[in-house]
Amino acid sequence: GAVVSQHPSRVICKSGTSVKIECRSLDFQATTMFWYRQFPKQSLMLMATSNEGSKATYEQGVEKDKFLINHASLTLSTLTVTSAHPEDSSFYICSARVENTIYFGEGSWLTVV
Amino acid sequence: GENVEQHPSTLSVQEGDSAVIKCTYSDSASNYFPWYKQELGKRPQLIIDIRSNVGEKKDQRIAVTLNKTAKHFSLHITETQPEDSAVYFCAASKTGYSTLTFGKGTMLLVSP
């Protein structure tokens, strides 16, 4: 199946710093990618839809200035968590659609200390 | 928007038993219903999906049924094995849209 790759898989950062997570489509072009957040033992919550060449569409309640999304090419979307705080610690995962199936990246564990 | 309810939140079965997880959705326009299996700290893996033009789909020990009138769909796992233990998520979306609305998940524990 299609491959969506995410990097880094784990990252620890200090409060107040920013961290970037990359989501790549390895064998296909993705005009649209999706970013989810998952707290332990909870479901996946859509944060935003990343559109190549245009602004991301954020879900209600998600701060666009805190979670910066850039989709500069057809194979790469990035999520930058700015001024991170411990409550931002979570599992972040991206996905992309190929024809009628949605594939997920490996996910990125963010720990803010 | 779409709302997906999933039950039960946890399900414990003995190896060899069957397991059933049920979901309901609110948007009658939804027509694509995938099921994902997620092991701790890993990505969700698509295990089976169904579209609204069929009522049932089966793949070896896994089957999914869909009742469009009642707006509910179910995952059936037969002859469960310990390696089936994971969190299972149902989801719903509409053709042409890639946004998935997920249920809250079911933690399935299969005891040897």
Side-chain angles (χ1 to χ4, degrees):
Chain A
V3 179
V4 178
S5 178
Q6 220 173 308
H7 178 82
S9 57
R10 293 182 180 273
V11 58
I12 300 173
C13 71
K14 293 183 177 180
S15 289
T17 63
S18 296
V19 61
K20 181 186 287 187
I21 301 170
E22 296 184 345
C23 179
R24 294 181 183 274
S25 57
L26 297 185
D27 52 1
F28 65 98
Q29 293 182 333
T31 55
T32 304
M33 291 185 177
F34 304 89
W35 287 96
Y36 292 84
R37 182 175 184 176
Q38 185 178 33
F39 290 109
K41 298 184 180 181
Q42 293 189 23
S43 190
L44 296 100
M45 299 301 296
L46 180 66
M47 298 175 65
T49 301
S50 172
N51 304 296
E52 187 269 335
S54 64
K55 292 182 179 180
T57 303
Y58 290 82
E59 294 300 300
Q60 189 173 9
V62 178
E63 299 176 61
K64 60 180 181 181
D65 294 331
K66 181 169 182 62
F67 298 100
L68 300 178
I69 291 173
N70 184 276
H71 196 152
S73 77
L74 287 171
T75 59
L76 175 64
S77 175
T78 60
L79 168 67
T80 302
V81 183
T82 63
S83 187
H85 292 285
E87 56 265 33
D88 297 325
S89 299
S90 185
F91 187 57
Y92 292 87
I93 190 164
C94 66
S95 71
R97 176 183 171 193
V98 179
E99 296 182 349
N100 292 320
T101 302
I102 294 168
Y103 295 93
F104 286 88
E106 302 97 323
S108 300
W109 285 100
L110 169 63
T111 302
V112 184
V113 298
Chain B
E2 175 67 277
N3 181 48
V4 177
E5 298 284 342
Q6 184 172 347
H7 299 280
S9 56
T10 59
L11 179 59
S12 295
V13 300
Q14 292 291 118
E15 182 176 1
D17 289 350
S18 295
V20 180
I21 303 170
K22 299 181 179 181
C23 288
T24 60
Y25 60 99
S26 62
D27 189 344
S28 57
S30 290
N31 53 13
Y32 175 62
F33 308 94
W35 285 89
Y36 289 87
K37 175 183 179 182
Q38 187 181 27
E39 297 177 0
L40 185 63
K42 297 187 177 180
R43 78 178 94 194
Q45 297 276 10
L46 178 69
I47 56 171
I48 196 167
D49 58 13
I50 192 168
R51 300 182 192 277
S52 60
N53 58 341
V54 297
E56 184 174 358
K57 184 175 178 181
K58 189 173 182 180
D59 182 4
Q60 299 182 341
R61 297 187 296 110
I62 295 173
V64 57
T65 58
L66 171 66
N67 183 325
K68 289 187 293 182
T69 303
K71 289 189 284 193
H72 67 69
F73 55 112
S74 300
L75 177 71
H76 304 253
I77 306 174
T78 59
E79 301 173 30
T80 54
Q81 302 166 2
E83 49 267 38
D84 293 330
S85 297
V87 179
Y88 291 81
F89 291 98
C90 63
S93 74
K94 294 177 259 192
T95 300
Y97 294 83
S98 303
T99 302
L100 287 170
T101 301
F102 285 90
K104 292 189 175 181
T106 297
M107 179 175 289
L108 174 64
L109 298 172
V110 181
S111 302

